[in-house]
Amino acid sequence: MKPARVLFLSEYDVSDINDWSGCPYFMHQALKSLWEDFTAVQVPFDKKRPVEITLREAGQAASEAIRLHQPDLVICQGTSMIPELVANCPVVCWHDACWQLLATLAIDEFRLNFPELLDWDRRFLKRIDHFFMASEWAVNTTKMTYRPFRHKISLLPFGSNFLSLPSDTQIENWRQEKGQRQSCRLVFIGVDWQRKGLKLAIDLQQSLIARGLDTELDILGGQPALNTLEFAGVQVRGFLDKSDSAQLGQFQRLLGEADFLVHPAYRECFGCVLVEANRLGIPALTTPIDGIPTIIKNGENGFLATHGDYVETMSEHVLSLFYNRQHYNRISRQAEIRAQNLFSWDRSARQLKDYCEHSILN
């Protein structure tokens, strides 16, 4: 069988590591390394425009790219170009959600309030040959909501969005250095600080201080609209650009030197930052929301707690592990191994290729 010509269509700029948190960039990098004839085309869409116009224009642009490149397989990051796509070859999609998931509404309420988005989902699923989704929550909920299309949907996780990684020796050194200090370091990462739960992260840090544990909290990603100066031990580090080697190094050092990633998110379709923390041996303190339990298994590579119990539950976990470094190191190493073995862009890209070659292209 001759090598397949593959066309990758993305809603974002695959050359920009900061676009959509870097997922299109790393997805593209992993996929293009597997095919000799691989071309990427951006098909952006404007969420502010009427759905009918958005889908028509995106579909026309994608169809024109297919006519020009004559691929044997089309891989889409995003769903907007698919409902009105014209192609005489298989089309698959790799994404983290559909509109019904993002709306967080039961199907009847979703149908009533967002009929145009429901139609978008259904037309997309009818047109696609296969839909790879990043989390078990996304797979299971989409299968349940759109039962006629459940045979087209399967799990394919994302990976960590790092251009390079610290050495295993450096990660182990960070782990050992933590056991020598008397203070606990927490790190919070997120530009959308409200959705990521920054207020609860600060509450946890302040609770640990009140319980007698010297605790620092670094805030990475954005400039929150909170007066963090009124909280002792809280420092805002701002946005660090991972495409810059020096800033990537600073980002990884701040994360790698931390004892825990604090991530009390209210919505999270997947959560690449959880994989990134785990890859550096950092357990995550997070919530059992949406796609998070695909990555974090309670007591194995981090801990899960509801928002109502978050501060109390996580305070107990932090105190227990801080004073039992043998247990902490075990969870830290489990986190590193789990991220390395299960959440890799290269691993998932190979699985996508294998599926397409054996189930779609032959």
Side-chain angles (χ1 to χ4, degrees):
M1 184 175 67
K2 68 176 183 179
R5 295 188 303 274
V6 179
L7 178 64
F8 181 67
L9 301 177
S10 175
E11 295 173 341
Y12 299 92
D13 182 357
V14 299
S15 67
D16 184 353
I17 192 175
N18 293 314
D19 213 352
W20 201 47
S21 300
C23 290
Y25 175 91
F26 286 96
M27 186 183 294
H28 170 251
Q29 292 295 314
L31 290 168
K32 79 172 184 177
S33 68
L34 301 178
W35 278 283
E36 295 179 14
D37 192 340
F38 189 91
T39 304
V41 174
Q42 184 180 5
V43 183
F45 80 105
D46 188 348
K47 296 178 182 178
K48 297 179 181 178
R49 303 191 73 188
V51 168
E52 181 180 352
I53 296 175
T54 292
L55 297 184
R56 182 173 66 248
E57 293 183 348
Q60 289 173 348
S63 300
E64 176 59 23
I66 291 170
R67 188 197 64 77
L68 178 64
H69 295 284
Q70 293 294 304
D72 301 304
L73 172 69
V74 176
I75 304 172
C76 299
Q77 177 282 303
T79 69
S80 59
M81 70 281 288
I82 297 171
E84 297 202 11
L85 184 65
V86 177
N88 58 359
C89 65
V91 180
V92 302
C93 181
W94 189 7
H95 205 40
D96 64 350
C98 62
W99 283 110
Q100 190 272 329
L101 294 178
L102 295 175
T104 64
L105 296 174
I107 187 62
D108 290 340
E109 192 175 356
F110 181 58
R111 181 186 296 110
L112 179 64
N113 289 279
F114 300 101
E116 72 283 4
L117 297 183
L118 174 65
D119 182 62
W120 180 336
D121 277 353
R122 284 178 169 166
R123 291 172 60 195
F124 154 71
L125 289 165
K126 182 178 180 180
R127 176 63 186 84
I128 204 74
D129 287 276
H130 200 81
F131 189 17
F132 300 97
M133 305 192 79
S135 72
E136 294 160 332
W137 160 76
V139 168
N140 295 336
T141 306
T142 305
K143 282 184 175 182
M144 184 170 57
T145 303
Y146 301 109
R147 291 183 61 82
F149 307 108
R150 60 188 181 277
H151 63 286
K152 294 185 176 185
I153 304 167
S154 62
L155 177 67
L156 196 65
F158 293 165
S160 65
N161 295 337
F162 284 151
L163 283 170
S164 61
L165 282 163
S167 66
D168 292 342
T169 300
Q170 178 62 78
I171 294 173
E172 184 59 34
N173 286 342
W174 281 331
R175 189 155 37 227
Q176 296 306 317
E177 288 167 3
K178 294 169 197 176
Q180 306 303 314
R181 66 182 184 225
Q182 302 302 309
S183 63
C184 177
R185 295 185 188 174
L186 308 176
V187 64
F188 171 93
I189 302 173
V191 175
D192 187 355
W193 58 273
Q194 290 178 307
R195 177 172 63 85
K196 303 285 187 178
L198 175 57
K199 184 60 173 64
L200 273 180
I202 293 175
D203 289 346
L204 171 61
Q205 182 250 357
Q206 295 294 299
S207 170
L208 290 167
I209 292 176
R211 294 182 183 216
L213 179 61
D214 183 12
T215 308
E216 302 169 3
L217 173 65
D218 284 317
I219 301 172
L220 281 66
Q223 296 290 336
L226 290 174
N227 182 14
T228 56
L229 295 177
E230 65 181 83
F231 302 107
V234 175
Q235 184 166 350
V236 178
R237 301 283 185 171
F239 178 79
L240 294 173
D241 187 348
K242 293 182 190 175
S243 66
D244 179 277
S245 59
Q247 293 186 55
L248 173 62
Q250 184 182 4
F251 179 95
Q252 291 178 335
R253 178 182 59 79
L254 288 168
L255 183 54
E257 290 180 350
D259 294 280
F260 299 94
L261 172 73
V262 186
H263 191 79
Y266 289 89
R267 295 301 315 279
E268 194 71 273
C269 289
F270 181 70
C272 289
V273 69
L274 300 168
V275 179
E276 292 168 0
N278 274 187
R279 185 61 185 84
L280 301 185
I282 310 306
L285 309 176
T286 186
T287 51
I289 296 297
D290 301 342
I292 290 174
T294 292
I295 304 169
I296 303 301
K297 302 303 179 184
N298 198 41
E300 181 179 340
N301 58 336
F303 296 93
L304 303 169
T306 63
H307 294 105
D309 298 329
Y310 186 84
V311 172
E312 178 67 25
T313 300
M314 295 310 183
S315 294
E316 294 297 329
H317 287 312
V318 170
L319 290 166
S320 174
L321 290 179
F322 187 83
Y323 295 113
N324 186 343
R325 279 293 161 178
Q326 184 176 1
H327 189 194
Y328 175 88
N329 289 342
R330 182 165 61 251
I331 290 180
S332 171
R333 293 191 178 100
Q334 288 172 177
E336 183 182 355
I337 293 169
R338 179 175 169 81
Q340 188 171 11
N341 291 345
L342 298 183
F343 301 102
S344 157
W345 285 111
D346 290 337
R347 178 181 184 272
S348 290
R350 288 193 298 271
Q351 290 179 335
L352 183 149
K353 183 184 182 186
D354 288 346
Y355 180 90
C356 290
E357 289 183 341
H358 291 97
S359 301
I360 293 180
L361 290 172
N362 60 5

